[in-house]
């Protein structure tokens, strides 16, 4: 594994540690924390510090050390958890995140001098003393092993053999490590001490850790090396420098907590065995018996891609057996089959490789459709075989898509930091309520959700939620509430961002739109149409331009990004009660199920996620409405009939709903509608090709696909097409009435 690959793993783990720490500090802010929560925050920061030191990120390591010191005092109970302290820790976590980003991107680290002073002052204030330099640690026994050079004199007879006393050499090494007898013990040395033993394994050295640094950290805490165990060091002809043969026995003063020692080894994990207590035995050396070589498997559930190391020259046992903990080593023998992966075991894969896999699956779907159509055209009876291939293709597609699926909580986790920044800027206190964070969708969609979500949250806090005095006057709580939720529905995902603010001032929006020339002063618009004006480019109702809003860019960016994702956004606002934005997005941007239909000279695809049912209406079920609109009675409910031929400009299509096939579809903003088509040809998986990439954006069209006969068919954007058709029909009706 190269240094760049190890660094990439470190930064990925930094993101996980930051997320865990933020979740813990959020619990502290709500007052629901316990000792495990505080320890989780400390471990996350400590892990980042260890990696920063290993890779030489001095600024990151220095800031993390100060942050970790305050957290250590919080964990030990020296510094109590209060509201101001939690806010300070959250600010420190935000700065730590900026440090990690700067280290990853190679940019200048953020200025943290003032914040470090605040952290130090918090420690001093809660301890009741002025900040002072830490006292120098007491001299500790030197742990380094001094080995004198060994002069080897070759035999004058044949020059092939040489002899030396290995036992004497080991005695010399042991004597160098074991502390010499000193003067009479003083008060410190006679106080009660407790004991622990440790033995690093080969994995500790292979992953870049330095056991000597850990020994020095223990010595700095007051640890004293009692003995270095060299009993497992083999003869030189079978010595493997990549293995861990040495073990150490340490004793510590009674005022040193066991947790402080364990924290030193957090970054190493199972690659170093520890044993606590005066009666504890020295952990054994992890050396497996000889066994047939086999590929090494990852031993921990951490999602890291690890290359299997080459077999050691002195043993043919797999590396996985070398690095196992004692319990794992006992469960693995030369004759037993390898153990199955532990539950939750995972591996990191480059996104580019997954993209290639998805593209290959898409081409497989197209090839399968082409083969099915070709065989059907030849009149060959292979329905059973084709059904089997189709089923296998679908299984492969679903498995490939599930690999790319990620919980949306990775996007939601950024929201608390955004709210903290907005609260400090606007002076508004906002409480966040989140649900559905485990909802999964395609990684590509997740990556492109961050920007629109940020703009919607900034808009909700700046424009929606009122200042505290206005909320109290309106009978509301002084603290505003922002709700964030996600759920699956009919093959799509719904993301809602809502606030309990004052809602959209439609009169003001209308007046601003007239002022900017977006609409005519005498225009007649529905409430929904007025709400949608806020997405117009350059539109803003802010009184003055600030670093949050006022330039009329944010909401336009939201609409464009959602549209690029093949989704749509709707608004539900009630004056005095709040506003909710609903984003309706596809679960994936690659493959979907669709209904292939004929409309005149065109072949179109209707996404199956929108389809409710299809029917041929009876003559009495279709009723006219005005000069150009039709309604159909579906089990006592009248829904509008929309001609796909008219919407896409198809020629020679059926124009009478009584002679056509009607497909009842469900939309988010416009309810149900019936799409009029000539015939339904097939139902199949389709590979979605973006029109923006290969042509340009077309209103009412979500994309295109390649059919089995090689033709290109447009995929209908059902929500957009129905909304546009009904809006045009309403405008035409108003014009006729006028």
């Amino acid at each position: 594994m190269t240094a760049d690959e190890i660094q990439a793993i470190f930064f990925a783990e930094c993101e996980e540690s930051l997320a865990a720490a933020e979740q813990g500090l959020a619990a502290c802010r709500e007052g629901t924390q316990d000792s495990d929560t505080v320890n989780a925050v400390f471990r996350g920061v400590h892990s980042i510090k260890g990696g920063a030191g290993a890779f030489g990120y001095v600024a990151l390591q220095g800031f993390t050390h100060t942050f970790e010191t305050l957290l250590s005092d919080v964990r030990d109970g020296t510094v109590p958890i209060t509201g101001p302290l939690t806010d300070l820790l959250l600010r420190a976590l935000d700065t730590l995140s900026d440090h990690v980003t700067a280290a990853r991107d190679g940019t200048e680290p953020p200025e943290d001098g003032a914040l470090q002073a605040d952290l130090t002052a918090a420690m001093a204030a809660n301890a009741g003393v002025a900040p002072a330099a830490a006292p120098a640690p007491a001299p500790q026994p030197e742990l380094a092993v001094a080995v004198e050079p060994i002069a080897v004199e070759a035999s004058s007879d044949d020059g092939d053999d040489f002899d030396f006393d290995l036992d004497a050499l080991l005695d010399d090494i042991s004597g160098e490590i074991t502390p010499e007898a000193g003067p009479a013990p003083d008060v410190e040395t006679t106080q009660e001490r407790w004991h622990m033993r440790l033995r690093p394994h080969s994995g500790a050295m292979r992953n870049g850790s330095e056991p000597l640094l850990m020994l020095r950290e223990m010595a700095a805490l007051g640890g004293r090396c009692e003995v270095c165990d060299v009993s497992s060091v083999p003869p030189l002809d079978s010595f493997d420098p990549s293995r861990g043969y040495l073990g150490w026995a340490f004793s510590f003063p009674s005022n040193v907590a066991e947790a402080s020692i364990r924290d030193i080894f957090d970054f190493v994990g199972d690659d170093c065995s520890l044993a606590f207590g005066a009666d504890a035995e020295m952990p054994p050396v992890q050396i497996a018996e000889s066994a047939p070589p086999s590929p090494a498997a990852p031993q921990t559930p951490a999602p890291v891609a690890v290359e299997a190391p080459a077999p050691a020259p002195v043993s043919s046992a797999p590396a996985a057996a070398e690095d196992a903990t004692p319990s794992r080593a006992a469960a693995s023998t030369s004759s037993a089959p390898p153990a199955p992966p532990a539950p939750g075991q995972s591996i990191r894969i480059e996104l580019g490789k997954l993209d290639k896999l998805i593209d290959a699956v898409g081409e497989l779907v197209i090839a399968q459709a082409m083969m099915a159509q070709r065989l059907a055209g030849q009149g060959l009876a292979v329905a059973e075989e084709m059904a089997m291939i189709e089923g296998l293709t679908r299984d492969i597609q679903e498995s490939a898509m599930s690999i790319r699926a990620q919980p949306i909580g990775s996007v939601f986790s950024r929201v608390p930091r955004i709210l903290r920044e907005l609260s400090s800027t606007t002076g508004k206190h906002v409480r966040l309520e989140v649900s559905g964070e485990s909802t999964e969708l395609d990684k590509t969609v997740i990556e492109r959700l961050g920007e629109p979500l940020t703009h919607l949250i900034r808009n909700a806090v700046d424009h929606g939620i009122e200042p505290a005095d206005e909320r109290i006057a309106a009978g509301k709580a002084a603290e505003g509430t922002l709700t964030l939720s996600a759920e699956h529905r009919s093959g799509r995902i719904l993301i809602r961002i809502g606030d309990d603010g004052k809602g959209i001032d439609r009169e003001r929006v209308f007046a601003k739109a007239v002022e900017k020339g977006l609409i005519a002063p005498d225009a007649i618009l529905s409430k929904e149409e007025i709400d949608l004006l806020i997405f117009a480019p350059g539109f803003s109702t802010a009184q003055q331009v600030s670093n949050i809003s006022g330039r009329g860019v944010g909401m336009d960016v939201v609409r464009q990004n959602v549209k690029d994702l093949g989704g749509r956004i709707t608004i539900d606002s009630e004056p005095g009660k709040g506003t909710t934005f609903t984003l309706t997005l596809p679960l994936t941007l690659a493959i979907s199920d669709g209904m292939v239909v004929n409309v005149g000279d065109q072949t179109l695809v209707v996404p199956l996620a929108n389809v409710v049912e299809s029917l041929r209406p009876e003559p009495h079920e279709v009723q006219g409405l005005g000069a150009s609109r039709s309604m159909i009675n579906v089990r006592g409910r009248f829904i509008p009939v929309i001609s796909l031929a008219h919407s896409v400009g198809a020629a020679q299509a059926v124009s009478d709903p009584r002679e056509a096939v009607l497909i009842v579809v469900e939309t988010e903003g416009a309810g149900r509608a019936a799409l009029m088509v000539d015939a339904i040809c097939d139902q199949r998986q389709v590979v979605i090709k973006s029109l923006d990439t290969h042509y340009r954006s077309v209103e009412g069209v979500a994309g295109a696909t390649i059919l089995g006969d090689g033709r290109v068919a447009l995929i209908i954007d059902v929500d957009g097409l129905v909304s546009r058709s009904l809006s045009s029909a309403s405008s035409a009706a108003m014009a006729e009435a006028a």
Side-chain angles (χ1 to χ4, degrees):
M1 183 176 293
T2 65
D4 290 341
E5 292 173 332
I6 296 175
Q7 279 190 326
I9 294 172
F10 164 66
F11 286 120
E13 292 176 345
C14 282
E15 294 298 328
E16 296 171 0
S17 297
L18 288 170
E22 183 163 21
Q23 184 178 3
L25 290 179
C28 293
R29 193 177 193 180
E30 297 293 331
T32 59
Q33 82 282 354
D34 53 18
S35 59
D36 291 339
T37 303
V38 177
N39 284 330
V41 177
F42 180 86
R43 282 194 300 270
V45 176
H46 180 78
S47 297
I48 295 176
K49 173 190 170 183
F55 292 111
Y57 297 121
V58 179
L60 174 59
Q61 184 185 25
F63 177 78
T64 311
H65 176 73
T66 305
F67 190 7
E68 177 193 44
T69 304
L70 176 56
L71 286 172
S72 179
D73 290 347
V74 173
R75 186 185 58 172
D76 295 339
T78 306
V79 177
I81 298 179
T82 61
L85 178 68
T86 304
D87 292 339
L88 176 62
L89 294 176
L90 286 168
R91 283 170 46 211
L93 186 67
D94 293 342
T95 303
L96 177 58
S97 178
D98 293 338
H99 266 291
V100 171
T101 301
R104 182 186 59 216
D105 300 340
T107 58
E108 286 294 323
E111 177 57 43
D112 58 14
L115 184 56
Q116 287 210 47
D118 291 342
L119 295 173
T120 305
M123 288 183 278
N126 285 276
V129 296
Q140 300 296 330
E142 177 58 52
L143 299 178
V145 180
V147 181
E148 295 294 331
I150 302 173
V152 180
E153 191 171 306
S155 170
S156 58
D157 297 334
D158 53 16
D160 293 331
D161 299 321
F162 63 92
D163 296 317
F164 68 95
D165 191 343
L166 178 60
D167 292 336
L169 174 63
L170 293 179
D171 289 341
D172 291 341
I173 295 176
S174 179
E176 292 289 344
I177 297 176
T178 305
E180 299 179 0
D186 55 15
V187 176
E188 190 277 329
T189 57
T190 57
Q191 72 174 346
E192 184 179 354
R193 302 177 69 87
W194 58 273
H195 299 77
M196 62 88 66
R197 290 166 174 77
L198 72 145
R199 188 187 297 277
H201 305 309
S202 57
M205 278 71 80
R206 185 177 66 245
N207 293 335
S209 300
E210 175 53 73
L212 184 58
L213 297 179
M214 301 175 192
L215 299 180
R216 287 174 177 168
E217 282 194 62
M218 292 194 297
L221 290 176
R224 186 171 62 206
C225 179
E226 304 290 351
V227 65
C228 175
D229 178 23
V230 295
S231 60
S232 299
V233 178
L236 289 183
D237 57 354
S238 60
F239 186 90
D240 179 7
S242 66
R243 298 185 188 272
Y245 296 111
L246 301 180
W248 284 271
F250 266 76
S251 66
F252 295 92
S254 58
N255 60 348
V256 177
E258 178 181 322
S260 300
I261 306 303
R262 290 187 181 274
D263 290 339
I264 297 175
F265 300 91
D266 269 355
F267 198 68
V268 183
D270 293 337
D271 289 329
C272 186
S273 293
L274 308 177
F276 293 86
D279 299 329
E281 297 182 358
M282 181 69 71
V285 176
Q286 298 296 316
I287 302 178
E289 299 296 330
S290 178
S294 62
Q299 290 296 314
T300 65
V304 179
V306 180
E307 295 179 2
V314 298
S315 173
S316 59
E322 301 170 8
D323 298 335
T325 56
S327 59
R328 293 176 184 168
S332 176
T333 63
S334 58
S335 60
Q345 195 169 17
S346 58
I347 183 170
R348 284 195 179 99
I349 302 175
E350 292 180 9
L351 187 59
K353 295 181 180 180
L354 285 182
D355 290 337
K356 290 181 180 179
L357 174 62
I358 298 298
D359 291 341
V361 171
E363 296 303 321
L364 175 63
V365 172
I366 294 175
Q368 181 263 333
M370 288 182 172
M371 183 171 64
Q373 189 153 338
R374 177 72 61 86
L375 293 176
Q378 298 293 329
L380 300 177
V382 290
E384 184 177 347
E385 290 80 359
M386 286 307 305
M388 183 182 300
I389 293 177
E390 182 178 357
L392 291 174
T393 303
R394 180 177 291 272
D395 289 342
I396 294 174
Q397 178 258 322
E398 291 178 351
S399 298
M401 297 311 301
S402 67
I403 294 175
R404 286 182 59 96
Q406 286 190 338
I408 199 173
S410 60
V411 179
F412 286 1
S413 63
R414 308 172 194 170
V415 176
R417 181 177 184 180
I418 299 173
L419 285 182
R420 290 197 297 272
E421 294 174 351
L422 291 173
S423 295
S424 62
T425 304
T426 63
K428 301 176 182 178
H429 296 282
V430 182
R431 180 168 55 91
L432 178 64
E433 294 181 355
V434 180
S435 62
E437 59 266 32
S438 60
T439 304
E440 292 187 342
L441 69 162
D442 190 86
K443 180 176 175 60
T444 304
V445 180
I446 285 182
E447 289 177 342
R448 294 165 64 179
L449 264 180
E451 187 175 12
L453 199 63
T454 300
H455 284 299
L456 288 173
I457 291 171
R458 292 165 70 92
N459 180 80
V461 175
D462 193 37
H463 293 290
I465 296 178
E466 315 94 323
D469 53 349
E470 293 184 17
R471 293 181 60 85
I472 294 174
K476 299 180 180 179
E479 185 181 51
T481 301
L482 182 75
T483 58
L484 198 59
S485 67
E487 63 173 311
H488 284 154
R489 181 180 295 179
S490 301
R492 300 175 76 81
I493 184 171
L494 268 61
I495 302 174
R496 292 186 174 90
I497 303 98
D499 63 75
D500 64 345
K502 58 188 175 183
I504 296 177
D505 187 345
R506 296 189 175 95
E507 293 182 0
R508 186 177 177 188
V509 170
F510 187 91
K512 198 72 174 181
V514 172
E515 176 186 332
K516 290 184 171 292
L518 299 175
I519 57 174
D522 57 349
I524 302 175
L525 302 179
S526 64
K527 293 188 298 183
E528 291 77 12
E529 290 172 329
I530 295 176
D531 293 343
L532 293 176
L533 288 173
I534 67 176
F535 293 115
F539 185 88
S540 176
T541 58
Q543 298 290 350
Q544 58 184 6
V545 177
S546 67
N547 61 347
I548 299 178
S549 62
R551 302 189 183 276
V553 177
M555 300 305 289
D556 179 39
V557 170
V558 170
R559 181 178 64 173
Q560 188 59 45
N561 287 357
V562 173
K563 184 178 180 181
D564 292 343
L565 287 171
R568 63 192 309 269
I569 183 170
T570 57
I571 306 174
D572 181 18
S573 181
E574 188 173 350
K577 294 188 176 180
T579 304
T580 299
F581 292 89
T582 302
L583 280 63
T584 306
L585 302 169
L587 294 179
T588 175
L589 304 180
I591 301 175
S592 180
D593 288 313
M595 183 177 286
V596 183
V597 300
N598 279 340
V599 182
D601 58 350
Q602 299 288 329
T603 301
L604 305 172
V605 177
V606 180
L608 204 61
N610 296 98
V611 175
V612 177
E613 60 179 318
S614 60
L615 51 89
R616 283 190 178 273
E618 297 293 334
H620 66 276
E621 292 177 338
V622 179
Q623 303 291 330
L625 182 64
S628 58
R629 299 182 65 185
S630 297
M631 306 288 287
I632 180 173
N633 185 351
V634 181
R635 289 182 288 278
R637 177 182 177 183
F638 281 92
I639 60 177
V641 177
I642 297 174
S643 172
L644 276 184
H646 177 74
S647 300
V648 302
Q652 303 174 356
V654 176
S655 58
D656 188 349
R658 299 170 182 83
E659 300 175 0
V661 176
L662 300 182
I663 301 176
V664 179
V665 293
E666 183 79 49
T667 66
E668 288 300 325
R672 291 192 175 187
L675 303 181
M676 185 170 65
V677 302
D678 293 1
I680 297 175
C681 302
D682 196 3
Q683 176 181 319
R684 65 178 61 170
Q685 283 186 311
V686 294
V687 180
I688 303 172
K689 303 292 185 180
S690 172
L691 283 183
D692 290 347
T693 303
H694 301 91
Y695 177 54
R696 62 178 176 84
S697 178
V698 178
E699 190 174 6
V701 177
T705 189
I706 301 174
L707 299 177
D709 56 4
R711 291 183 300 158
V712 175
L714 298 179
I715 302 173
I716 299 299
D717 174 13
V718 175
D719 286 15
L721 185 142
V722 171
S723 297
R724 186 186 64 172
S725 298
L726 295 181
S727 177
S728 300
S730 298
S731 300
M734 290 181 181
E736 291 177 3

